[in-house]
């Protein structure tokens, strides 16, 4: 397939130059939707104290406003990716965007904590349809090589900045309009995207594929993760060795084992285990999981430290996090160039080293700290997280055929989101346990909270650094080289739009 053919395929027969513009228009719309779902993971963070007061949440239950979204998002991403491949990527993208937008409206109108958590879960389900479909469309619009690396480089930068910019937007909206407007913003953006999707975004799907799904696999893995997060979050109260905690963790492990067994025997598995024969794909997903656990846990704990210890307002907290987002955006271009000129694993390892070091640096912030003296340095350094997001996004799709495009796209997003949900639960639990112990020993509340947050940040930093050996062991430069030299005639075309 020539470059002109590719452009004609997505531009309805226009000339190559016009098709090139058309693809980037579609990319821009898909990127807006991706940014919205990425930002929504943590956009409520700075509003949690306000939501907690108005909804009468217990402190230990506040994390569920974040993790309910992350769990359904991560748990159903693979099913969303499979549906996108079989039903039609634009069709699934549109349906997911409509569900996400409607759930956002319900969140804005929520009057009870339980209803808000449930609707956050529904939001996550909509996002689980939007994201793999969007990334799969991007993958099929740009052929593997330098052009796709450019698109995925921008995609990774959007993911890296989405969380921090989301925190800023959440802070500003909470301060000047009220926390429900965090969700009204989604309604406005989602509604506009829905109106434009049919005109701009191309349709594609697998040809001659039987429409078989794997709902049992999706239910098994999501239920297992919900139980795991619940067990971890309740462990400080119930006790780590309590019968209830051990029973819940055992149940979660059994369901995860059942998920693997289901996938091994299913005719149309949610997660084809053969994908893990691609070493670079497996390594990128492992690093993506650790990235989500460390980075999202870091933002969650850092936000609580600024608000509960330093007394920052929601707006000031968001402005502080903007330093991470701006640094990430600034480093996105160099990251893309370095990936092309050196290797995916070298850039990934550099990003893990710098990000992990930045998180560990933040453990030195005292109870009476200030932004410029204690936080600015770690925040600028952790902005190098872009150097993880971009190579992870590229490596997770290397060697993937069009048949598995949606599944592979869902898999990397699932790895990051589930890592985030588990990382937040672990960080929250570690912080609560350490804070309680220090307070019992007679420390003042500010000192006890700071000590708890420091311990949690140590965990987050070490999780990031644990990804370095994985990057060198599993990610192979030869995989990247072979993928970028595949003859264009061997690149499969999607089915025409219907």
């Amino acid at each position: 397939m020539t470059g002109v053919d590719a452009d004609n395929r997505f531009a309805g027969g226009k000339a190559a130059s016009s098709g090139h513009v058309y693809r980037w228009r579609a990319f821009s719309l898909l990127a807006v939707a991706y940014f919205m779902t990425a930002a929504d993971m943590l956009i409520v963070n700075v509003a949690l104290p306000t939501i907690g007061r108005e909804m009468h949440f217990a402190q230990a239950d506040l994390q569920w406003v974040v993790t309910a979204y992350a769990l359904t998002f991560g748990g159903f991403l693979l099913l969303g990716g499979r549906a996108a491949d079989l039903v039609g990527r634009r069709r699934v993208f549109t349906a997911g965007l409509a569900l996400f937008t409607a759930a956002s409206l319900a969140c804005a109108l929520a009057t009870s904590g339980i209803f808000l958590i449930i609707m956050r879960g529904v939001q996550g389900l909509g996002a689980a349809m939007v994201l793999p479909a969007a990334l799969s469309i991007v993958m099929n619009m740009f052929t593997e090589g330098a052009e796709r690396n450019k698109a995925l480089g921008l995609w990774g930068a959007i993911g890296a900045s989405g969380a921090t910019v989301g925190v800023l937007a959440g802070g500003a909206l909470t301060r000047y309009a009220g926390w429900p407007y965090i969700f009204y913003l989604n309604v406005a953006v989602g509604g506009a995207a829905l109106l434009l999707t049919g005109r701009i975004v191309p349709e594609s799907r697998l040809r001659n594929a039987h429409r078989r799904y794997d709902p049992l696999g999706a239910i098994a893995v999501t239920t297992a993760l919900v139980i795991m997060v619940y067990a971890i979050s309740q462990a400080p109260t119930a006790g780590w060795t309590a019968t209830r905690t051990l029973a819940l963790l055992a149940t979660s492990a059994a369901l995860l084992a059942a998920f693997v067994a289901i996938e091994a025997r299913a005719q149309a598995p949610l997660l084809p285990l053969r994908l893990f024969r691609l070493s670079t794909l497996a390594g990128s997903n492992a690093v993506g999981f650790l990235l989500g656990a460390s980075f999202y846990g870091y933002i969650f704990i850092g936000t609580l430290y600024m608000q509960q210890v330093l007394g920052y307002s929601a707006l000031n907290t968001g402005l502080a996090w903007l330093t991470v987002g701006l640094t990430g955006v600034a480093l996105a271009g160099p990251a893309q160039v370095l990936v092309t000129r050196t290797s995916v694993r070298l850039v990934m390892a550099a990003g893990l080293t710098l990000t992990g070091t930045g998180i560990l640096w933040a453990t030195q912030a005292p109870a009476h700290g200030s932004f410029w003296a204690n936080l600015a340095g770690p925040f600028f350094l952790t902005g190098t997280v872009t150097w993880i997001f971009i190579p992870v996004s590229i490596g997770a799709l290397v060697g993937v055929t069009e048949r598995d495009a949606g599944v592979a796209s869902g898999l990397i997003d699932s790895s990051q989101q589930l890592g985030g949900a588990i990382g937040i639960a672990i960080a929250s639990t570690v912080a609560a346990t350490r804070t309680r112990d220090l307070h019992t020993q007679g420390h003042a509340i500010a000192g006890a909270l700071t000590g708890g947050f420091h311990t949690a940040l140590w965990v987050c930093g070490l999780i990031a650094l644990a990804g370095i050996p994985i990057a060198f062991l599993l990610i192979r430069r030869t995989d990247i080289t072979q993928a970028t030299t595949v003859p264009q005639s061997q690149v499969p075309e999607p089915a025409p739009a219907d």
Side-chain angles (χ1 to χ4, degrees):
M1 181 178 64
T2 65
V4 173
D5 291 336
D7 283 335
N8 287 342
R9 189 181 77 210
F10 291 109
K14 294 181 183 292
S17 59
S18 177
H20 181 78
V21 173
Y22 217 89
R23 283 185 296 168
W24 285 105
R25 286 180 183 173
F27 177 88
S28 298
L29 178 61
L30 296 168
V32 168
Y34 174 39
F35 183 86
M36 183 171 62
T37 58
D40 221 65
M41 171 71 173
L42 290 173
I43 196 171
V44 300
N45 255 34
V46 295
L48 284 181
T50 304
I51 293 173
R53 287 193 302 270
E54 295 186 9
M55 296 286 189
H56 306 292
F57 270 105
Q59 179 72 19
D61 294 334
L62 273 178
Q63 65 150 316
W64 285 101
V65 180
V66 179
T67 54
Y69 177 82
L71 283 170
T72 53
F73 192 178
F76 286 97
L77 270 166
L78 293 174
L79 187 60
R82 179 67 177 166
D85 284 340
L86 298 181
V87 176
R89 293 166 182 127
R90 185 180 66 189
R91 186 174 298 167
V92 171
F93 173 82
T94 303
L97 190 58
L99 181 61
F100 181 89
T101 304
S104 296
L105 179 60
C107 286
L109 300 174
T111 56
S112 72
I114 295 297
F115 183 75
L116 177 62
I117 289 174
I118 292 172
M119 287 301 102
R120 285 285 287 166
V122 176
Q123 264 192 310
L125 182 59
M129 299 167 67
V130 168
L131 195 49
L135 184 54
S136 183
I137 292 170
V138 170
M139 180 181 173
N140 283 281
M141 285 194 301
F142 300 96
T143 54
E144 198 155 31
E147 189 176 34
R148 185 187 290 177
N149 285 354
K150 178 180 179 181
L152 291 179
L154 292 172
W155 196 262
I158 290 166
S161 62
T164 50
V165 175
V167 173
L168 172 62
L173 290 170
T174 300
R175 171 66 177 83
Y176 293 112
W179 68 263
Y181 283 86
I182 291 171
F183 301 109
Y184 283 131
L185 177 63
N186 289 339
V187 176
V189 175
L194 281 170
L195 292 175
L196 294 172
T197 297
R199 300 178 182 179
I200 297 177
V201 178
E203 178 63 289
S204 65
R205 66 179 183 276
L206 292 179
R207 290 173 173 166
N208 304 321
H210 295 290
R211 295 189 180 184
R212 296 193 184 109
Y213 304 94
D214 183 18
L216 287 179
I219 292 171
V221 69
T222 305
T223 303
L225 293 165
V226 169
I227 292 173
M228 180 190 298
V229 170
Y230 180 77
I232 293 171
S233 64
Q234 296 300 308
T237 302
W240 281 99
T241 58
T243 302
R244 185 179 74 171
T245 302
L246 295 176
L248 288 172
L249 292 174
T251 301
S252 175
L255 285 170
L256 288 174
F259 170 70
V260 174
I262 291 170
E263 300 313 287
R265 298 185 179 185
Q267 289 185 332
L270 184 66
L271 176 58
L273 299 181
R274 57 182 163 73
L275 284 178
F276 291 103
R277 297 173 188 167
L278 300 171
S279 178
T280 297
L281 178 147
S284 295
N285 276 276
V287 171
F289 179 87
L290 296 176
L291 166 63
S294 61
F295 190 62
Y296 288 131
Y298 165 60
I299 292 181
F300 183 83
I301 293 299
T303 298
L304 292 180
Y305 165 74
M306 284 187 281
Q307 291 194 322
Q308 295 183 355
V309 177
L310 301 184
Y312 279 26
S313 67
L315 178 59
N316 287 339
T317 303
L319 288 171
W321 282 119
L322 186 60
T323 56
V324 180
L326 290 177
T327 305
V329 171
L331 292 176
Q336 178 195 326
V337 172
L338 286 172
V339 164
T340 302
R341 294 184 178 179
T342 58
S343 72
V344 163
R345 68 180 182 182
L346 285 178
V347 178
M348 191 183 296
L352 288 164
T353 301
L354 294 171
T355 300
T357 301
I359 295 174
L360 295 180
W361 186 2
T363 63
Q364 304 305 304
H368 301 289
S370 65
F371 175 75
W372 289 110
N374 307 109
L375 295 178
F379 280 10
F380 282 120
L381 193 56
T382 52
T384 55
V385 71
T386 307
W387 288 20
I388 315 173
F389 272 103
I390 289 175
V392 158
S393 298
I394 294 171
L397 296 176
V398 166
V400 175
T401 63
E402 197 230 346
R403 178 180 62 164
D404 296 320
V407 173
S409 301
L411 179 59
I412 184 56
D413 294 319
S414 183
S415 298
Q416 293 174 10
Q417 295 300 324
L418 293 177
I422 293 172
I424 288 173
I426 292 173
S428 176
T429 298
V430 168
T433 302
R434 181 59 176 160
T435 297
R436 184 186 60 193
D437 291 344
L438 290 174
H439 193 52
T440 301
Q441 295 169 15
H443 289 260
I445 186 61
L449 284 169
T450 302
F453 294 150
H454 284 174
T455 305
L457 289 174
W458 270 103
V459 172
C460 293
L462 292 175
I463 288 174
L465 296 177
I468 298 172
I470 293 176
F472 282 107
L473 287 172
L474 293 181
I475 295 175
R476 300 173 180 172
R477 182 166 185 165
T478 53
D479 290 347
I480 310 291
T481 303
Q482 290 171 3
T484 56
T485 56
V486 172
Q488 293 296 315
S489 61
Q490 295 181 18
V491 178
E493 296 186 26
D498 54 6

